[in-house]
Amino acid sequence: MTIHSLNTKRASRSAESRVAAQDWRALVSDLNAQGCAVMPGLMSSEECADVAGLYPHEEHFRSHVVMARHGFGKGEYRYFKYPLPDLIEGLRTALYPRLATVANDWNEKMGVAQRYPSDHAAFLKRCHDEGQTRPTPLLLQYGPGDFNCLHQDLYGTLAFPLQVAILLSEPGEDFTGGEFVLTEQRPRMQSRAEVVPLKRGDAVIFAVHNRPVQGTKGYYRVNLRHGVSRLRSGQRHTVGIIFHDAK
């Protein structure tokens, strides 16, 4: 396992440049239309292997969750501890300002008073002032038959409305099945499901809880949940970047 690329300032600078290189006009359009958007090739294959390779090394993590023990599904995940690996920290810091603009626009449309600062450190200070001090970025591991039930990652009273998941394994080679699934419940309507195809290194941005949808009488709120379908074979790793900290 090579972790050198995860622990240098160069990784953070690289995160900023690769986030800036994404087509943000298209990403924001997809987020507004579907509640999710895919960033292709956000991480290289080597970086994906490096991050996935951290999973057995407990010194990088603050806690370990076996999903079946809590009714969350099957599989397991580990929450990183501070300081985060530089690549994960760099991506979290670089992604946040662009997503804060979307989050503030959504809250305005939904009539929510909460506004988010443009700097991630300032937002984390708000979390810590609320008693939410535990880091939430996590590394998930799935084997054959594993799945993740539909859920929302809310961890306290203060929650950032968007998050990111990066697929670290190659579909069709490392695993089969295990699709990322997003469901949306609109008032007085049946739920809509969105299956998001990803390749290794791709990232999906998605709504954590609510998003605005244009109706005939203005914007209204829809409720979203996300999960992972049953893995048919192989092993699947994903890194999740959540922008608020937990109680």
Side-chain angles (χ1 to χ4, degrees):
M1 179 188 62
T2 302
I3 62 172
H4 179 69
S5 63
L6 302 179
N7 295 294
T8 63
K9 291 182 180 179
R10 182 176 166 188
S12 296
R13 291 195 296 270
S14 174
E16 293 175 2
S17 62
R18 73 184 75 185
V19 166
Q22 293 286 325
D23 184 349
W24 282 96
R25 180 174 295 181
L27 290 171
V28 172
S29 176
D30 286 347
L31 284 170
N32 287 330
Q34 305 296 340
C36 63
V38 174
M39 293 183 287
L42 188 65
M43 286 173 52
S44 70
S45 295
E46 181 182 6
E47 289 168 338
C48 290
D50 286 346
V51 175
L54 296 177
Y55 195 85
H57 299 271
E58 295 184 3
E59 65 269 22
H60 297 288
F61 305 98
R62 66 171 177 85
S63 66
H64 178 203
V65 177
V66 177
M67 295 187 206
R69 293 176 184 169
H70 307 277
F72 297 163
K74 288 183 65 181
E76 56 185 70
Y77 54 87
R78 291 183 165 183
Y79 288 104
F80 286 102
K81 68 181 182 180
Y82 283 133
L84 302 175
D86 277 7
L87 179 58
I88 305 305
E89 175 67 26
L91 288 172
R92 196 185 193 205
T93 301
L95 286 163
Y96 172 84
R98 296 176 184 273
L99 298 183
T101 300
V102 177
N104 287 331
D105 177 60
W106 282 9
N107 278 5
E108 182 177 354
K109 288 174 179 175
M110 292 187 295
V112 177
Q114 176 74 53
R115 295 294 182 271
Y116 303 94
S118 59
D119 178 69
H120 190 233
F123 175 64
L124 285 181
K125 184 179 184 305
R126 290 188 186 179
C127 290
H128 297 172
D129 289 345
E130 292 286 336
Q132 297 177 211
T133 59
R134 296 189 297 163
T136 49
L138 69 164
L139 185 56
L140 302 101
Q141 178 174 275
Y142 301 87
D146 290 350
F147 61 94
N148 197 347
C149 295
L150 295 170
H151 65 284
Q152 298 169 327
D153 293 313
L154 297 171
Y155 300 105
T157 57
L158 187 58
F160 191 73
L162 291 151
Q163 69 189 71
V164 174
I166 308 168
L167 184 60
L168 306 178
S169 308
E170 185 62 46
E173 294 182 12
D174 299 324
F175 70 95
T176 60
E179 295 89 356
F180 178 85
V181 180
L182 191 72
T183 64
E184 182 177 271
Q185 178 62 60
R186 301 189 182 192
R188 298 176 299 280
M189 296 175 67
Q190 293 183 332
S191 295
R192 179 181 73 91
E194 181 84 8
V195 176
V196 182
L198 298 170
K199 296 180 180 179
R200 180 171 53 202
D202 290 352
V204 56
I205 312 167
F206 56 97
V208 173
H209 184 204
N210 299 124
R211 76 176 185 94
V213 171
Q214 177 75 62
T216 57
K217 298 180 180 179
Y219 287 95
Y220 61 94
R221 235 180 264 194
V222 299
N223 190 54
L224 296 101
R225 296 180 183 273
H226 65 277
V228 172
S229 70
R230 180 169 58 91
L231 214 72
R232 307 287 177 170
S233 65
Q235 191 173 67
R236 179 188 191 273
H237 286 96
T238 308
V239 65
I241 298 179
I242 298 165
F243 297 94
H244 47 275
D245 279 354
K247 277 191 176 291

